[in-house]
Amino acid sequence: MRPQALLAVLAVVAVLAAALPLAHSQGATLCCDKCGICTRSFPPQCRCMDISPTGCNPACKTCAKSTVGGRDSFQCKDFITNFCETRCTKAA
């Protein structure tokens, strides 16, 4: 292989490798600290019982808003595959 062609291939591989982390960061990260009900399917579909003052995860289609003491809170009501697989915060 000619040196110019090898250099071009190496440059393309470097650009693709650099873009890979950007592609992963664009998706919504599913995480849950307080797991609710899960189905017995494989992989399981679970409902997360976390409550957030800022809104639901972008992957959530049914986001329930409630107001307690004048403050809004949001909770996802969907059953999502592997919702409870990753914690949002570190375990104590």
Side-chain angles (χ1 to χ4, degrees):
M1 189 179 272
R2 295 189 348 220
Q4 293 87 359
L6 183 60
L7 185 60
V9 169
L10 187 57
V12 169
V13 169
V15 168
L16 291 174
L20 189 60
L22 294 175
H24 285 295
S25 66
Q26 290 177 354
T29 302
L30 288 176
C31 62
C32 181
D33 289 334
K34 187 177 179 186
C35 192
I37 302 167
C38 292
T39 63
R40 292 181 182 222
S41 62
F42 184 77
Q45 294 187 350
C46 299
R47 179 180 284 173
C48 183
M49 303 303 290
D50 288 354
I51 296 174
S52 170
T54 58
C56 293
N57 188 299
C60 182
K61 294 178 184 154
T62 308
C63 185
K65 177 182 174 183
S66 61
T67 305
V68 177
R71 294 186 178 182
D72 292 338
S73 62
F74 300 87
Q75 184 178 23
C76 183
K77 297 295 184 180
D78 294 348
F79 280 92
I80 299 176
T81 303
N82 291 327
F83 207 159
C84 299
E85 186 175 54
T86 306
R87 289 184 57 85
C88 299
T89 58
K90 291 184 179 183

